[in-house]
Amino acid sequence: NAGVTQTPKFQVLKTGQSMTLQCAQDMNHNSMYWYRQDPGMGLRLIYYSASEGTTDKGEVPNGYNVSRLNKREFSLRLESAAPSQTSVYFCASSEEGTGELFFGEGSRLTVL
Amino acid sequence: GESVGLHLPTLSVQEGDNSIINCAYSNSASDYFIWYKQESGKGPQFIIDIRSNMDKRQGQRVTVLLNKTVKHLSLQIAATQPGDSAVYFCAENPGSARQLTFGSGTQLTVLP
């Protein structure tokens, strides 16, 4: 049982490049989330998806887009990367209506 | 907006001693609180939660205390072990499981 799997684990981009972070969960959870973690700032919610076919903005959505491809997969896209998007990105999933989130191992992104 | 904060960014304890990690919250509408543990290089992991109709909840070696009067949350770890070294985050849910707000974290270091 892999839980939440994120790819890639590390990525270096140049300013203006685009990329997609992939996330898949095998726990049959309805809800999925993308967070970013910066030093001293905890985790901030970028986007979430309460169920397949729905997505909503979180606290810091600017510069990102998401796709809930199916119940298992939730991707995060950076269309034109900026240095301010250098961060560690975490995908998570949960049963709907609970605060017990299951996180992936994270994707460390550096934008030069 | 309102946010969760922590009193101390770092805490060092001797192995075998009890640890107390504190958290202040300011959103009086929050009705659900969660503690997460994050080991180096990994995603956060759920430890324990508590609802606002309780003031204490115990798990295995951990106890969470909630004081709604002063909007304070604490995590107590009994007989702290080297494996407890990690960053601990409190999170609050102001009524929607999709919008957890995380604090900035406390680094717990267990000394031999």
Side-chain angles (χ1 to χ4, degrees):
Chain A
N1 191 341
V4 178
T5 303
Q6 293 181 231
T7 57
K9 293 193 185 325
F10 301 93
Q11 183 72 49
V12 179
L13 293 176
K14 294 181 180 179
T15 297
Q17 288 185 319
S18 62
M19 77 157 298
T20 300
L21 299 177
Q22 307 285 355
C23 175
Q25 53 93 8
D26 61 4
M27 294 172 282
N28 202 37
H29 288 160
N30 283 317
S31 301
M32 296 187 74
Y33 315 81
W34 276 105
Y35 285 87
R36 60 178 288 173
Q37 184 174 36
D38 301 299
M41 299 187 72
L43 291 151
R44 292 184 293 168
L45 183 64
I46 305 171
Y47 270 93
Y48 63 94
S49 171
S51 61
E52 184 179 353
T54 68
T55 61
D56 288 286
K57 295 179 180 179
E59 180 185 355
V60 289
N62 291 345
Y64 305 95
N65 286 302
V66 290
S67 295
R68 184 73 183 267
L69 305 171
N70 47 55
K71 190 172 185 178
R72 290 186 64 249
E73 298 173 289
F74 189 37
S75 63
L76 178 72
R77 183 161 177 85
L78 287 70
E79 291 291 353
S80 179
S84 61
Q85 294 178 304
T86 293
S87 189
V88 181
Y89 291 85
F90 287 98
C91 178
S93 70
S94 73
E95 293 287 352
E96 189 173 357
T98 77
E100 184 175 356
L101 275 58
F102 293 81
F103 286 86
E105 296 275 285
S107 297
R108 184 175 295 274
L109 175 65
T110 301
V111 183
L112 303 175
Chain B
E2 295 182 84
S3 63
V4 176
L6 292 170
H7 291 310
L8 295 172
T10 62
L11 177 66
S12 296
V13 298
Q14 293 292 139
E15 182 178 352
D17 287 351
N18 297 334
S19 304
I20 300 176
I21 302 170
N22 295 305
C23 178
Y25 67 95
S26 56
N27 189 340
S28 56
S30 293
D31 61 358
Y32 180 54
F33 305 87
I34 311 104
W35 282 100
Y36 282 87
K37 172 186 180 183
Q38 186 176 25
E39 297 177 14
S40 181
K42 296 186 177 182
Q45 183 178 19
F46 174 92
I47 302 172
I48 192 167
D49 58 3
I50 188 167
R51 297 205 174 271
S52 59
N53 61 351
M54 304 171 69
D55 53 19
K56 180 179 180 179
R57 190 170 188 211
Q58 289 184 294
Q60 187 176 13
R61 281 202 308 119
V62 295
T63 300
V64 56
L65 299 178
L66 175 62
N67 185 330
K68 295 181 288 293
T69 302
V70 295
K71 296 179 183 173
H72 183 267
L73 191 68
S74 68
L75 177 70
Q76 300 179 2
I77 304 173
T80 312
Q81 302 170 359
D84 294 327
S85 291
V87 176
Y88 289 81
F89 294 96
C90 61
E92 63 178 318
N93 181 338
S96 167
R98 295 167 290 189
Q99 296 282 2
L100 283 180
T101 300
F102 284 81
S104 55
T106 293
Q107 173 72 59
L108 174 66
T109 300
V110 181
L111 306 172

